[in-house]
Amino acid sequence: MAAIAADLQQAGLWLTESKRVAALTGAGISAESGVPTFRGKDGLWQGFKATDLATPQAFARDPKLVWNFYNWRRELLAPLQPNPAHKALIRLEEKIPQFSLITQNIDDLHRRAGSKNLVELHGNIWMVRCTRCHLVSRNEEVPLPELPACEECGGLLRPHVVWFGEQLDPTILDKAVAAIRSCDIMLVIGTSALVQPAASLAIVAKEQGARVVEINLEPTPYSHKLDLALQGKAGVLLPQLVERLE
Ligand SMILES: NC(=O)c1ccc[n+]([C@@H]2O[C@H](COP(=O)([O-])OP(=O)(O)OC[C@H]3O[C@@H](n4cnc5c(N)ncnc54)[C@H](O)[C@@H]3O)[C@@H](O)[C@H]2O)c1
Ligand SMILES: [Zn+2]
């Protein structure tokens, strides 16, 4: 416990000295809100692995099945609320002159918490995109029809999320990279650092001279390359860290 307190103190000091802060969050920050992760036993839905359904191939083969899966996820996510970790990032955004929040999550919890400068790398589960005219819109209907149609052109809608095997939107990725390239310190919170290119963002930050502090329940493949790796729950550690700036 003493070691964690000293690490929090150190990270707090670095944050106090920083004008530009970037944070990268993953599924772990939402775990305490009750969002299931894709890995482990929580990742199964009707015997399918989530990682086999969130693909363009699965959607081309059986769009009803994929929409069923997303309807189930939308139902699950609709009542969930931001937790103390999401809220701590709001307070941090208020204190830091230039703060960027980059998330791999599609669960909308950062937005619901009130984050302003937010880059959603993998899209958002409440956004849909037309496969014909490519119109993107927000849609909070739960459940959507089995094969939802575009209001403009009648084309088949798909979730506006980045599926396994798909490229990230280059404009969005550029925004994330720009924030990382110019930050004094980066916080990496609740991500296993297995999914690219998000995983390499911490390395970009290190290479340009920023400090990188990780908050995770367990060590990740990158922990040893970073300045500090704080082990524990994001919902506990992040509020304690931000408190040190108050
Ligand atoms: N919430 C969501 O929107 C959501 C949920 C599941 C998966 N996904 C998608 O799946 C991919 C998963 O990659 P990922 O790296 O984000 O998640 P991941 O599931 O690979 O890793 C989660 C990480 O969070 C850590 N963790 C778990 N609980 C924590 C807690 N309470 N506090 C701190 N750390 C905690 C784990 O140790 C792990 O390293 C992403 O592409 C993401 O878009 C998103
Ligand atoms: Zn359309």
Side-chain angles (χ1 to χ4, degrees):
M1 215 45 215
I4 271 275
D7 284 351
L8 280 169
Q9 183 79 18
Q10 178 63 77
L13 209 66
W14 287 340
L15 279 175
T16 314
E17 292 165 353
S18 301
K19 287 196 174 61
R20 287 162 302 187
V21 176
L24 171 68
T25 64
I29 196 169
S30 295
E32 290 161 70
S33 291
V35 180
T37 60
F38 271 6
R39 292 163 224 281
K41 64 173 169 45
D42 286 347
L44 283 184
W45 172 76
Q46 297 191 0
F48 293 97
K49 276 196 283 185
T51 45
D52 290 338
L53 290 173
T55 69
Q57 291 79 7
F59 191 68
R61 201 166 45 233
D62 193 346
K64 274 190 190 169
L65 176 72
V66 174
W67 264 119
N68 258 325
F69 167 65
Y70 275 92
N71 272 327
W72 168 74
R73 277 183 72 84
R74 284 161 70 105
E75 225 164 90
L76 207 81
L77 292 178
L80 301 186
Q81 297 297 327
N83 67 53
H86 298 101
K87 291 178 189 161
L89 290 175
I90 305 304
R91 296 201 297 283
L92 191 59
E93 181 162 26
E94 285 163 5
K95 288 179 190 312
I96 302 286
Q98 208 175 310
F99 179 80
S100 305
L101 178 53
I102 302 156
T103 189
Q104 290 170 267
N105 297 341
I106 59 167
D107 58 32
D108 209 40
L109 291 179
H110 285 304
R111 198 180 294 268
R112 287 187 193 182
S115 282
K116 293 189 187 76
N117 198 10
L118 177 64
V119 181
E120 292 174 309
L121 286 177
H122 293 162
N124 186 303
I125 195 149
W126 303 110
M127 306 289 283
V128 291
R129 180 165 89 239
C130 177
T131 56
R132 191 187 290 161
C133 74
H134 308 294
L135 182 77
V136 174
S137 55
R138 193 164 172 99
N139 181 315
E140 296 186 15
E141 214 179 307
V142 180
L144 277 165
E146 273 196 316
L147 287 177
C150 172
E151 283 183 2
E152 288 298 316
C153 79
L156 175 64
L157 293 177
R158 60 162 279 177
H160 185 52
V161 300
V162 179
W163 282 330
F164 293 96
E166 289 186 319
Q167 298 291 319
L168 269 67
D169 178 334
T171 320
I172 289 178
L173 185 59
D174 283 353
K175 226 175 140 186
V177 172
I180 300 296
R181 287 234 166 93
S182 66
C183 73
D184 306 315
I185 183 168
M186 176 183 186
L187 304 176
V188 181
I189 307 153
T191 170
S192 60
L194 294 174
V195 180
Q196 288 296 353
S200 50
L201 290 176
I203 302 307
V204 172
K206 277 268 23 121
E207 282 171 359
Q208 63 85 353
R211 291 207 164 94
V212 181
V213 175
E214 178 181 70
I215 295 182
N216 200 303
L217 273 184
E218 49 192 48
T220 70
Y222 291 91
S223 300
H224 65 283
K225 297 185 185 159
L226 310 179
D227 296 278
L228 269 181
L230 303 173
Q231 269 171 52
K233 287 186 174 180
V236 174
L237 293 181
L238 257 182
Q240 288 181 2
L241 178 58
V242 175
E243 236 169 60
R244 282 169 163 73
L245 281 89
E246 284 164 356

